Amino acid sequence: MGMTRVLVVGAGAAGSAAATVLAQAAGELEVVVVSAEDRLPYNRTTVNKGLLSGAVDDASIALPGMDLPGVTWRLGERVVHLDPVDRSVRLAGGEQLTADAIVLAVGASPRPVPGLGPAADRILTLRSAADTAQLRAALTPGAAVAIVGAGLIGTETAGVLRQAGHRVVLLDTAAAPMAPLVGPTVAKWILQAHRAAGVDVRVGTTLQTLSEQADQSLSLALSDETQVAAEVVLAALGAAPDTGWLTGIGVLDDAAAGAVNVDDQHRVTGWPGLYAAGDSAAFPGPDGARVRIEHWGAALAQGRKAAHAVLADLGLREPDNAVPPELPSYSTYVHGTKLTILGWPQLATGEVPLLGTPEDERFAVALHDADGRLVAAVGVGGARAVNRITDLLQRRAPVTELASDAAAGR
Ligand SMILES: Cc1cc2nc3c(=O)[nH]c(=O)nc-3n(C[C@H](O)[C@H](O)[C@H](O)COP(=O)(O)OP(=O)(O)OC[C@H]3O[C@@H](n4cnc5c(N)ncnc54)[C@H](O)[C@@H]3O)c2cc1C
């Protein structure tokens, strides 16, 4: 009988973390990681930040410790079909691979801008280091760049490009950047921070037509009947799970944007031997509905968790169920000021002040759901006020507990 084989599809954050844990059982199993990108795992969070600005170079973003015992990397190869019953996959070249367990860690792809006609192929996106190289090659000094979508990636990228001396127009249909992630008060603060830094923010508007001029520059016609001229257009409309190839076999959750349905240990629901982690996995969230998190740290943690479940199910290790419930957290910089988001802002329907006001150097808000339970907190200029209510967020405590928390001087 051959050696037990575990297949990991995708060598991003979740796939690399899964492979690292699985390698602890080298000698007892063989691990094959198949990934569409033709390079070993690297830090994707740099793609629109240090790698784009040039603060870090391509060689330095490689993840350390990937020379893993018992792990074979099949890079630059795409999996195109999964048979969940036989636990086998087919690669784009036609090769079939069978395994005792399969970890799906395929991440997500940038959403396209819909219906723009022939010039649409001039729109760039940022997901990989190769995308960064393409964007950097397109940027001339002081280039005019239009970013479509003022979410997290759009906001971060606008800051980096502005800092590098580019003229940046940032468009969004919403009234302020990142509002679904940070609530209205911080979103308004971000809008003002962008404008103070010289980013031309156009809110409440949509890109309707993109046309290429005779000199190769681009013209964007917006729904508010204004025009924007740009040399480079970048779409930052969020990312959807890279799971198109998994449709029709019963592993996807349509309610969670086509992510793979998993339980809290990242086992694919209803399919023994299949696991999923990272941006492409939807797990039971705090209110029972499936959620997915698009954070680097969460993808690493989920990859590890999935790998521990694999080792336990194969009888190679004791189950490792002592993982605390995940409270997503994300920190970023908006024109030099640190922003920290903790919890589940997507569940929020309202906000209350937590610290100071937007006029202060530091301020924070707490976000609550329709039942008045705390679901998230956002800090600007410091994370202490946010971290202080971690326990309340974890318990989804009533918003009224904030007052008693403050009164107790905690
Ligand atoms: C520009 C950018 C900036 C970010 N900045 C931050 C940040 O500052 N902080 C933070 O917490 N998070 C950040 N994130 C989010 C974070 O990078 C992701 O949440 C994380 O990378 C998800 O890990 P993953 O393993 O699920 O997917 P990925 O890292 O995307 O890896 C998936 C891998 O699977 C491969 N793949 C896909 N389909 C197939 C297939 N069919 N066959 C084989 N291989 C396949 C892909 O090529 C890719 O290599 C950022 C994301 C982006 C795009």
Side-chain angles (χ1 to χ4, degrees), residues 8-16 34-39 42-49 74 77-81 91 104-110 126-128 132 152-153 156-157 239 242-243 245 277-281 293-300 302 329-332:
V8 178
V9 186
S16 61
V34 183
S35 194
E37 279 181 89
D38 60 358
R39 57 184 293 170
Y42 61 92
N43 186 341
R44 195 174 301 286
T45 70
T46 63
V47 156
N48 70 334
K49 297 188 266 295
R74 303 272 310 253
E77 301 203 63
R78 185 169 283 277
V79 176
V80 293
H81 180 74
L91 308 190
L104 300 165
V106 292
S109 290
L126 271 178
R127 179 76 197 180
S128 65
T132 309
L152 186 53
I153 303 289
E156 287 182 343
T157 309
D242 225 342
T243 52
W245 59 286
D279 284 7
S280 60
I293 306 177
E294 293 180 78
H295 295 345
W296 181 259
L300 291 175
Q302 291 180 20
S329 89
Y330 192 100
S331 287
T332 187

